[in-house]
């Protein structure tokens, strides 16, 4: 298991008495970067391992979600690098169209200007200037966290190379008739003044009103209900189900539309549910997606009644009113005409909001650019179904299929100025020309480029290959595509992962962009509540890093990372991880001061004590366990396994059990010193991907070698010693049982007690010195009087507690506890003997009662032995 890189002499290695992260982390990270540890060489003969960073917005800063995701990716890539892969973690940022434009527009607003005052070209220049000065602060924060990314390869979704990739794939899709321009109902944000996609709409329950309106007169009247009364100005029909006998006489007739001088037809359409409401619905094709489809089927006109700011444009008394103002005014006018049949307030219903600015979305008929996703989405679904791509955890597959199998065409145009301009030109005579990156744009009078830009997700969907130099067949594309893995949150499975799958398969000749998709959950507070500034529970991870160190934050996040499950986190957990880092530091420092070394080969097993063989056996088992967890992306389990092995087995047991050996000196101390050095070497390497800073400092000091970043990942040597493991488990049981007894008697941990140990005929005889030291047991000496005798796991420990406890009070306490244990046993036995109970009770309840019975039996045995050990009379 010892790593074979060249060893530098470690003369008198010393560590400070305390680990102070702030004095270590920044210097270590810059050293790693300066030495090029995180760079990737496409000429390398090593097998590739590639992962791209989910590109954070250029407007963003590091939040706990980023820190969580980056910790998982960094852990995987650090391990792969140690395993000998040519590892590329590709960094970069997203231009974040709407978000970035909003930021710069707010800055202009402080100057009393709008983007229109500057004009498009000057505004875009202003955004680039802002990006250079203020954008991308997240890069420095990633360094704080320890992200091992290839900084020399950093990309931006609007840099020259990625812009070429965007133009290339747009042209290819356009030529293949997979991109088209058409009038459709889109989600429109009246605040951002742009279309947004379905997945950028956030739905929430809002209190509104449900108003029932009467259209038409007398027998030719019908009642419809709406939550958006202002849209009735754009109604072009009323629809009923063709089999609804209540309205059979109206189908084909025209009825009066209130507040207007128009009449509208009554049409029959199977989309209408006759059981819902009155069974009749108003049809506003220009302002509702379902109505739009009804309108297409019945060749109805589309009347737009609002402008891009959701202000009423219909001539008349409501013209110029905001949609919400118009809603109230129109209801009042209808009420005055006696057209209001019923009103319900408040009426709670689901309403779409812009995910960027939280403004209520307005469905709106608009001429936009679309991707025909049918064949692309089918390919994305097939790649998972035929196992070319694996989704982890597997239960997330259903969510993925539910999306790609029912995907609507994707609106990709945005009415913004910041972003990739749509590469289409329009001529004076109605010509349309799509221009590729190597084409000349048409010139001459009357030719203009489309004013819209592309949806941000269009360019980020190319991220796994555009960052490698595509559309050129670069050495990086050949070496590092497809990516090995994609680690990201389940919340952007639809936003981003599905887009990358569609574009990767399409652009790269059917090769998916990655082999494995690993989906993690969302970070929440310790009570499971979503973190939000408005809730007052949002945390800046940099604050925790300043206080506890980056390793503590990383380890806390990794310990909560169960696949696909949300991660609760609280500051006290970070404190616990800081304590763990300090424990690793202090224990390693102590071990090195007491003979731990990596010099020379490991001694033969025959030269080792049972304690030495036990810890090496456990070490190899943990190496195998951690490897298995990594391959299954079980970050919480592997972190927990390392925590308990390092803290419990190495530091609390092996180091403590070995103290007498080190004190005695001699050959046994040299053997244990070499074993302890091996255990620390391997344990620090196992811990390194999760807690890189403290392990780098300790490992380089212990070994004298260059860096744990480029050390070999530990391998399971296959060494196991089950006999030694049983022996030390027996020893641990004895020590634990006596410690419990001491605690029950109220003895202080450091209080020494005379004791007689009868270990004859057991392997524990060789451990008497360690037992006495760990339990603070003195030799029995003259006048020894056994006041308590403990038969523990085949051995007998007799203690002289004269003068340390009140025997009669202890007898009463133990008798009371024994009675409680016997009652618990009787209750559990009765339930398990009740056939009716067993037939009805769930399996987990029955198992719980069996566990109570087992514990009661153990308590009775322990308490009976303790009572028997007390002196009589």
């Amino acid at each position: 298991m010892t790593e074979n890189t060249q060893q530098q002499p470690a003369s008198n290695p010393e560590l400070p008495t305390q680990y102070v992260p702030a004095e270590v982390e920044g210097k270590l990270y810059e050293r790693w970067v300066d030495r090029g540890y995180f760079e990737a060489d496409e000429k390398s003969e090593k097998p590739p391992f590639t992962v791209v960073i989910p590109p954070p917005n250029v407007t963003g800063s590091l939040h706990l979600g980023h820190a969580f995701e980056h910790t998982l990716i960094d852990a995987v890539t650090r391990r792969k690098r140690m395993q000998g892969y040519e590892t590329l973690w590709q960094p970069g940022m997203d231009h974040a169209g709407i978000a970035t434009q909003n930021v710069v527009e707010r800055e202009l607003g402080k100057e009393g200007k709008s983007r229109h005052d500057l004009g498009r070209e000057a505004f875009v220049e202003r955004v680039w200037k802002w990006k250079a000065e203020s954008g991308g602060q997240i890069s420095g924060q990633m360094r704080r966290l320890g992200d091992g990314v290839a900084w020399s390869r950093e990309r931006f979704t609007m840099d020259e190379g990625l812009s070429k990739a965007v133009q290339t794939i747009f042209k290819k899709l356009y030529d293949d008739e997979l991109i088209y321009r058409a009038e459709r109902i889109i989600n429109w944000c009246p605040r951002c003044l742009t279309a947004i996609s379905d997945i950028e709409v956030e739905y929430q329950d809002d209190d509104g009103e449900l108003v029932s309106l009467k259209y038409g007169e007398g027998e030719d009247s019908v009642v419809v209900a709406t939550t958006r009364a202002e849209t009735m100005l754009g109604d072009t029909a009323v629809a009923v189900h063709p089999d609804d006998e209540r309205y059979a006489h109206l189908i084909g007739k025209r009825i009066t539309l209130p507040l207007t001088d128009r009449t509208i037809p009554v049409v029959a359409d199977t989309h209408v549910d006759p059981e819902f409401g009155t069974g009749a619905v108003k049809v506003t094709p220009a302002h509702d997606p379902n109505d739009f489809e009804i309108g297409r089927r019945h060749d109805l006109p589309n009347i737009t009644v609002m402008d891009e700011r959701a202000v009423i444009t219909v001539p008349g008394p409501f013209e110029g009113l905001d949609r919400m103002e118009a809603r109230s005014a129109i209801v009042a006018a209808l009420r005055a005409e006696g057209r209001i049949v019923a009103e319900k307030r408040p009426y709670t219903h689901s309403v779409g909001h812009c995910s960027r600015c939280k403004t209520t979305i307005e469905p709106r008929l608009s001429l936009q650019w679309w991707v025909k996703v049918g064949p692309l989405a089918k390919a994305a679904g097939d790649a998972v179904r035929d196992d070319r791509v694996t989704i982890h955890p597997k239960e997330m597959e259903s969510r993925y299929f539910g999306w790609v199998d029912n995907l609507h065409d994707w609106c990709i145009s945005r009415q913004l100025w910041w972003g990739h301009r749509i590469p289409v030109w329009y001529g004076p005579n109605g010509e349309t020309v799509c221009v590729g990156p190597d084409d000349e744009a048409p010139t001459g009078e009357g030719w203009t480029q489309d004013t819209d830009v592309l949806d941000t997700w269009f360019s980020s969907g190319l991220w796994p290959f555009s960052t490698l130099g595509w559309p050129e067949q670069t050495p990086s594309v050949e070496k590092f595509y497809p990516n090995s893995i994609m680690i990201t949150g389940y919340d952007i499975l639809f936003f981003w992962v599905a887009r990358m799958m569609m574009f990767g398969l399409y652009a790269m000749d059917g090769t998916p962009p990655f082999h494995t998709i690993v989906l993690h959950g969302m970070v929440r507070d310790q009570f499971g509540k979503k973190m939000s500034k408005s809730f007052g529970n949002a945390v800046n991870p940099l604050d925790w890093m300043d206080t506890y160190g980056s390793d503590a934050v990383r380890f806390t996040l990794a310990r909560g990372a169960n696949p696909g499950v949300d991660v609760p986190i609280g500051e006290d957990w970070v404190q616990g991880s800081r304590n763990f880092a300090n424990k690793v530091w202090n224990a390693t420092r102590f071990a090195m001061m007491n003979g731990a070394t990596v010099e020379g080969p490991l001694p033969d097993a025959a030269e080792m004590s049972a304690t030495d063989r036990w810890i090496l056996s456990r070490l190899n088992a943990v190496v195998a366990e951690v490897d298995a967890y990594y391959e299954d992306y079980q970050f919480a389990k592997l972190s927990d396994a390392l925590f308990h092995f390092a803290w419990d087995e190495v530091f609390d047991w092996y180091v403590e059990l070995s103290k007498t050996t080190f004190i005695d000196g001699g050959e046994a101390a040299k053997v244990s010193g070499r074993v302890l050095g091996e255990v620390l070497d391997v344990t620090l390497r196992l811990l390194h991907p999760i807690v890189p800073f403290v392990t780098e400092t300790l490992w380089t000091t212990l070994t004298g070698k260059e860096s744990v970043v480029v050390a070999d990942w530990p391998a399971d040597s296959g060494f196991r010693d089950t006999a030694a493991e049983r022996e030390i488990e027996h020893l641990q049981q004895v020590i634990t049982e006596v410690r419990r007894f001491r605690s029950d008697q109220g003895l202080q941990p450091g209080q020494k007690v005379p004791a007689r140990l009868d270990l004859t005929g057991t392997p524990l005889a060789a451990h008497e010195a360690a037992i006495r030291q760990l339990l603070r047991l003195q030799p029995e000496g003259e006048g020894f009087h056994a006041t308590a005798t403990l038969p523990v796991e085949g051995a007998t420990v007799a203690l002289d507690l004269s003068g340390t406890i009140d025997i009669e009070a202890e007898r009463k306490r133990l008798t009371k506890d024994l009675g409680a244990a016997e009652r618990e046993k009787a209750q559990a036995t009765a339930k398990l003997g009740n056939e009716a109970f067993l037939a009805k009770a769930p399996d987990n309840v029955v198992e719980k009662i069996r566990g109570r019975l087992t514990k009661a039996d153990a308590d009775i045995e322990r308490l009976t032995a303790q009572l028997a050990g007390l002196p009589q009379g």
Side-chain angles (χ1 to χ4, degrees), residues 590 594 655-666 668-669 769 773:
F590 172 85
N594 286 274
V655 171
E656 293 298 317
L657 289 171
S658 300
K659 279 183 178 178
T660 54
T661 304
F662 291 131
I663 292 169
D664 293 342
Q773 179 182 330

Side-chain angles (χ1 to χ4, degrees), residues 200-222:
E200 291 171 302
V201 178
E202 293 179 349
Y203 287 91
Q204 66 184 47
D205 287 340
D206 287 357
D207 284 342
E209 60 181 0
L210 180 66
V211 183
S212 297
L213 315 174
K214 185 178 75 170
Y215 288 7
E217 306 295 341
E219 293 184 358
D220 290 346
S221 67
V222 63

Side-chain angles (χ1 to χ4, degrees), residues 8-16 585 588-589 592 596 598 684 694-706:
Q8 302 164 351
S11 60
N12 244 346
E14 291 186 1
L15 291 166
W585 180 274
T588 303
R589 181 174 179 273
M592 291 172 63
V598 296
L684 291 171
V694 68
T695 52
E696 171 80 344
T697 306
L698 294 173
W699 189 85
T700 53
T701 306
L702 171 70
T703 65
K705 295 175 183 175
E706 180 185 346

Side-chain angles (χ1 to χ4, degrees), residues 271-292:
H271 170 76
V272 179
D273 180 1
E275 302 299 323
F276 183 77
T278 64
V281 297
K282 58 191 286 299
V283 182
T284 321
H287 291 277
D288 183 274
N290 292 322
D291 293 2
F292 178 76

Side-chain angles (χ1 to χ4, degrees), residues 666-687:
E667 285 302 313
K670 290 181 180 178
V671 170
S672 291
R674 180 64 188 90
V675 170
L676 181 52
E678 179 76 5
V679 172
L680 291 174
D681 170 16
V682 173
T683 302
L684 291 171
R685 282 187 276 151
L686 289 173
L687 282 167

Side-chain angles (χ1 to χ4, degrees), residues 172 388 470 473 481 503-512:
K172 179 173 170 59
R388 282 176 289 156
W470 187 90
Q473 189 62 21
Y481 187 89
F503 281 167
L505 289 158
Y506 174 74
M508 306 302 283
D509 298 321
T511 302

